[in-house]
Amino acid sequence: MEVKTEGIVLQTIDYKDNDKLLTLFSPTLGCVTAGIRGVKKPKARLAFSAQPFCFAEYVLAEKGGRYTVTGAYLHESFFDLRTDVLRYYGACAVAEICRVLAIENERNEGLFIACIECLKSLCLEESNSAEAVITFLLIALRESGYPMDLGYLEECDGEMGDRIWFDFSDGRFGSLERCEKGERASISTYHCLRKCAGLDFDEDKTAGGKKRALRLLRAYLFEKTETQFENLGEFIRMQEDGK
């Protein structure tokens, strides 16, 4: 059976002398493994389709639940990601998160679109890589059933003071008394998250919040998935303090 689907390469593994195994993220198929033959040979016709972050329409031959790439039509290579190490690790973090959250044979168009939009943003020199990844993470959490509730500002009528906590049990901010499994969070973290979520925020209170927001999101992801997300950790370590 032949299947046509949009897909993005999240991971590649060398297989045999000239073949590769691709981890493809499809909006309709979820994350699937697909073999691609002869792709390491000089002048291989489908070499482009076996590169990390390649976004293409893939033609897959399916037999016994296994997929083989037989054709591909390029949409975007995202080649610019390879020219900046920080943005490259941001893209690796996005791919890593999709590999964990996207389930095989389960549609997840929201996560797929968020992945593509984040990679597009990371390719733009004028974009902020930390904000791009934070925005993606917030959508990825929501699409995977772990939404982060950023409504504490409205509940407190803007009078939060400097004591705010994040509850890992239900993904919401609040006072210590309201948190079942809480951790102290900074006001800059909270306002940075609201900014990336497209909500009202105070720009003066976002200073230094991006790195803290990324750390909190990684911790929340670990709480829900028990996965370390090493590429995301490296991306966070590369962020400049106070930026």
Side-chain angles (χ1 to χ4, degrees):
M1 181 177 71
E2 185 177 274
V3 179
K4 289 186 179 180
T5 181
E6 306 294 319
I8 186 162
V9 178
L10 301 182
Q11 188 178 47
T12 68
I13 299 174
D14 289 339
Y15 181 66
K16 297 183 178 179
D17 291 336
N18 294 302
D19 304 344
K20 286 189 177 185
L21 294 177
L22 310 182
T23 300
L24 286 177
F25 180 24
S26 157
T28 55
L29 300 177
C31 259
V32 297
T33 299
I36 183 166
R37 296 171 182 156
V39 77
K40 291 192 288 182
K41 293 180 179 179
K43 299 182 180 180
R45 180 175 63 88
L46 293 177
F48 72 91
S49 67
Q51 298 300 313
F53 316 123
C54 174
F55 173 36
E57 180 184 53
Y58 285 86
V59 182
L60 307 175
E62 189 272 331
K63 184 177 181 180
R66 296 185 178 183
Y67 295 98
T68 301
V69 177
T70 59
Y73 306 93
L74 182 67
H75 293 320
E76 176 60 64
S77 68
F78 294 115
F79 181 81
D80 289 345
L81 294 172
R82 297 165 177 78
T83 65
D84 184 295
V85 66
L86 177 61
R87 294 173 187 273
Y88 175 78
Y89 267 100
C92 289
V94 170
E96 176 182 54
I97 292 161
C98 288
R99 290 200 306 271
V100 173
L101 297 182
I103 300 172
E104 186 174 0
N105 295 320
E106 184 172 304
R107 299 178 70 97
N108 198 330
E109 295 179 2
L111 181 60
F112 183 81
I113 292 171
C115 173
I116 298 299
E117 291 302 316
C118 185
L119 296 183
K120 287 181 180 179
S121 182
L122 287 171
C123 284
L124 300 175
E125 291 185 5
E126 64 272 19
S127 69
N128 184 282
S129 61
E131 289 185 5
V133 173
I134 291 170
T135 299
F136 165 77
L137 279 164
L138 290 170
I139 297 172
L141 285 164
R142 184 189 68 211
E143 293 294 329
S144 302
Y146 312 122
M148 184 172 282
D149 186 344
L150 300 172
Y152 187 53
L153 184 68
E154 285 84 358
E155 294 176 14
C156 297
D157 297 323
E159 299 296 328
M160 291 188 296
D162 61 354
R163 298 186 64 82
I164 185 171
W165 296 73
F166 181 72
D167 191 337
F168 283 89
S169 63
D170 61 7
R172 63 182 285 123
F173 288 87
S175 62
L176 176 60
E177 294 76 16
R178 293 174 53 184
C179 294
E180 295 180 9
K181 187 178 181 181
E183 179 177 298
R184 182 74 179 271
S186 69
I187 296 300
S188 62
T189 296
Y190 177 73
H191 279 276
C192 183
L193 288 169
R194 285 185 63 90
K195 177 182 181 180
C196 293
L199 302 172
D200 292 337
F201 69 99
D202 188 335
E203 183 67 45
D204 293 336
K205 294 180 179 179
T206 62
K210 294 170 189 174
K211 191 169 185 176
R212 297 188 186 102
L214 285 165
R215 284 173 174 161
L216 180 63
L217 287 164
R218 186 187 181 209
Y220 186 45
L221 272 169
F222 176 77
E223 173 71 21
K224 298 304 180 184
T225 66
E226 297 184 348
T227 303
Q228 289 289 347
F229 296 100
E230 294 180 0
N231 286 323
L232 178 57
E234 184 61 28
F235 177 71
I236 293 170
R237 284 189 287 274
M238 295 172 70
Q239 298 296 314
E240 294 183 33
D241 290 326
K243 297 296 184 180

